[in-house]
Amino acid sequence: MSEADLLSRIDEAQSYIANKITLKPELGLILGSGLGILAELIEDAIVIPYANIPHFPVSTVFGHAGELVIGRVKGKTVVMMKGRFHIYEGYSAEAVSFPVRVMKALGVHTLIVTNAAGGVNTSYEVGDLMLIRDHINFTSRNPLIGSNEDQLGARFPDLSEAYNRKLRKAAIDVASQQQITLREGVYIGLLGPSYETPAEIRMLRMLGADAVGMSTVSEVIVARHAGIEVLGFSCISNMASGILDQPLSHEEVMETTERVKQKFLHLLLGIIPLI
């Protein structure tokens, strides 16, 4: 698909959303599996189903509500994705990250991304929260492949600081004040949807990964291409394959995120006013 087509699709989606709201969003949030609780605290919320937004994909995964929520949180105007899209659902990397393009067009300058991830670092425990210091794109996909339109971003964007250093420092300070243990590590994104084998997890650990998941990297690449600053978190919802002698399941992911969501919510609410 041509870049001109992408620009027109962004414009149509942005126009549809803009006509439904009176506020200009400044902060974007993408909430992973089971982490959509923050949407309940948005003031004067406008809720738009993904299915109604032109050119938006539709989430098919349990735990992803499939709604865009716009309103106010802690004095900030936010646009929140309550549920995201994944390449394993059959979408391209460009389609998965399309909402980030629309966020930029709406006025967003900062993005918080969250995900549920498997713990690769053996010092981690189920239920830990990890601040994403960096990521490894192991999906063999890049949303920027194809022709480039300069008004969207540079042809070769710099990812040397994919996750903003000042925002990470603010997150660490808030976690310390709230006496929340916040790990800091490297997230590696794979295609999925199958969980990894024990041999693959040993390989990922050798590559320097601390947590593994099936999302996030495409969205962050597009955010940085668009000049959006990024802060990212992983909820360690299970230990990766081979670390514990038990099978892996999405039910375990949802159970863990349910257990830690209040801690995660307090952390986000402490960070948002500082952005």
Side-chain angles (χ1 to χ4, degrees), residues 172-193:
I172 291 169
D173 290 343
V174 170
S176 177
Q177 292 165 11
Q178 297 183 355
Q179 297 183 318
I180 292 174
T181 298
L182 184 62
R183 309 284 192 172
E184 187 174 9
V186 175
Y187 173 88
I188 189 165
L190 276 67
L191 276 179

Side-chain angles (χ1 to χ4, degrees), residues 251-268:
E251 288 73 23
E252 180 187 7
V253 171
M254 298 304 297
E255 288 172 5
T256 302
T257 54
E258 177 68 23
R259 177 163 55 86
V260 305
K261 67 182 183 182
Q262 289 297 333
K263 177 174 67 172
F264 190 75
L265 178 63
H266 288 309
L267 179 62
L268 286 182

Side-chain angles (χ1 to χ4, degrees), residues 63-98:
H64 292 256
E67 297 172 337
L68 201 68
V69 186
I70 301 100
R72 301 279 293 177
V73 176
K74 292 289 185 177
K76 300 290 183 179
T77 304
V78 305
V79 53
M80 177 185 302
M81 289 182 67
K82 195 176 177 184
R84 55 150 55 89
F85 317 113
H86 307 81
I87 298 173
Y88 66 70
E89 294 176 81
Y91 296 120
S92 67
E94 180 194 282
V96 163
S97 53
F98 178 74

Side-chain angles (χ1 to χ4, degrees), residues 39-85:
E40 299 171 11
L41 299 183
I42 293 184
E43 301 169 3
D44 304 317
I46 302 295
V47 180
I48 307 174
Y50 293 161
N52 294 352
I53 303 172
H55 312 296
F56 252 59
V58 177
S59 182
T60 65
V61 182
F62 178 71
H64 292 256
E67 297 172 337
L68 201 68
V69 186
I70 301 100
R72 301 279 293 177
V73 176
K74 292 289 185 177
K76 300 290 183 179
T77 304
V78 305
V79 53
M80 177 185 302
M81 289 182 67
K82 195 176 177 184
R84 55 150 55 89
F85 317 113

